[in-house]
Amino acid sequence: MLRLLSNRLANVLAARGVGQGDRVAVALPPSVEAAAAILAVLKMGAVLVPLPLSLGEEPLAWRLADSGARAVVAADFMAPRLLAARDGAARLGAVLVAGEAAAGTEDLWAALHRASDAFTPVVTALDSPALLAYPDHAMGKPGGLLHGHGALLGNLPAVEFGLGFFPQFGDILWTAADWMSFPALMWAVLPAWHHGVPVVAGPHDQDAEAQLGLIARHGVRVAWLPPPALARLTRMAAMRPHPLPRVLGSGPEPLTGELRAQVAKVFGILPHEIWGTLEIGATVANNAQVMEMRPGSPGR
């Protein structure tokens, strides 16, 4: 299904003038639409510009203008902010919206319905531009970092190590992070798809209790959570029966010794950390199966 949906979206974008090397901004919560958009942009040789859902009008306006985005694929609740931010984006044409399409936008699903599901992916080199990412919470006018298609391969060793020698048979992955953040994409979602591991797309605004229910219902065995989300999940799990994932990963901010101990007590496993930066990706990780977990150390 994702192959056919992403083929349709690639054809929709191509019909609106998007070609190889063009920037396409995506602002979608975890969903089938987000998966189709990410895959469509990459398979057509365009450049994915993920826009975190927490951004306001000014940071959105800068990213749209600085990236030279030709199109946007977004959730309907992002549309008012994007429309207010588009004035300085001289190259921006299509704004495709999943949900109720306001004036100045197009209905994503209507466009997909009309498009062909046949598309031949563009053959790209390792250094062909693939992802233009901006610091998630940077103020002012931050520069974007352009990564090539080979960036995912460079991230995999640390990610696979930090996620418990990922993948293992039967793994299902979930992340509490916004899919439009660089760590969520490169340390959770894309590595899982690379290995053919299912990814659970939970609502982006779930509380910790709902997240525990989601993990249980869908048999999640591998989860990657930023430290604040891991802390909330652990506090909730301490108060009720809960599932026991195979591995809990976190990062890039370091975990406190207290949180590590709480996770181990509640879930019966030590959390693993993956460290990296927007510039160089995931480069360091730890794994309690094979190494001593030293306080304050992100690993090897």
Side-chain angles (χ1 to χ4, degrees):
M1 182 183 74
L2 282 179
R3 180 176 67 84
L4 298 180
L5 276 178
S6 59
N7 283 351
R8 286 177 180 267
L9 183 50
N11 285 319
V12 167
L13 293 170
R16 285 150 182 77
V18 176
Q20 187 169 358
D22 286 335
R23 275 62 168 160
V24 178
V26 178
L28 289 161
S31 58
V32 66
E33 294 95 340
I38 292 165
L39 294 174
V41 173
L42 295 177
K43 72 169 52 178
M44 67 188 300
V47 178
L48 175 68
V49 184
L51 300 175
L53 304 179
S54 60
L55 294 178
E57 292 176 15
E58 289 188 13
L60 284 173
W62 167 249
R63 285 157 175 78
L64 291 175
D66 185 66
S67 66
R70 291 290 302 272
V72 175
V73 185
D76 54 4
F77 64 82
M78 293 291 293
R81 279 177 272 167
L82 288 164
L83 292 174
R86 73 181 299 176
D87 289 346
R91 303 193 69 200
L92 182 59
V95 178
L96 297 155
V97 171
E100 186 175 348
T105 69
E106 297 181 62
D107 186 309
L108 172 63
W109 281 101
L112 291 174
H113 181 72
R114 295 189 296 266
S116 168
D117 61 12
F119 185 85
T120 302
V122 173
V123 177
T124 55
L126 289 176
D127 59 354
S128 297
L131 173 67
L132 178 58
Y134 292 81
D136 287 351
H137 305 295
M139 303 294 288
K141 298 180 177 180
L145 274 295
L146 185 61
H147 294 273
H149 280 266
L152 176 60
L153 301 178
N155 274 263
L156 284 178
V159 171
E160 292 166 348
F161 186 67
L163 295 183
F165 299 108
F166 182 76
Q168 300 290 313
F169 179 77
D171 277 352
I172 295 174
L173 182 140
W174 165 78
T175 177
D178 182 352
W179 281 16
M180 299 298 112
S181 70
F182 180 79
L185 273 176
M186 297 298 285
W187 303 354
V189 176
L190 290 177
W193 291 345
H194 171 79
H195 285 298
V197 171
V199 178
V200 176
H204 73 286
D205 54 355
Q206 279 187 322
D207 61 22
E209 184 174 9
Q211 290 172 349
L212 285 174
L214 178 144
I215 292 171
R217 286 194 308 277
H218 297 285
V220 170
R221 300 182 73 232
V222 178
W224 184 85
L225 306 91
L230 179 60
R232 290 191 293 270
L233 192 75
T234 303
R235 286 195 298 269
M236 180 58 64
M239 298 186 293
R240 51 164 288 178
H242 58 84
L244 298 174
R246 181 178 73 81
V247 62
L248 289 167
S250 191
E253 295 82 11
L255 299 178
T256 65
E258 180 184 5
L259 180 54
R260 279 190 181 186
Q262 289 174 341
V263 171
K265 180 180 179 180
V266 171
F267 289 102
I269 52 174
L270 281 167
H272 297 171
E273 296 178 72
I274 303 171
W275 180 86
T277 67
L278 183 62
E279 293 81 3
I280 59 176
T283 56
V284 177
N286 56 32
N287 185 320
Q289 295 172 256
V290 295
M291 61 188 291
E292 179 186 358
M293 305 285 276
R294 298 179 180 175
S297 170
R300 297 174 180 169

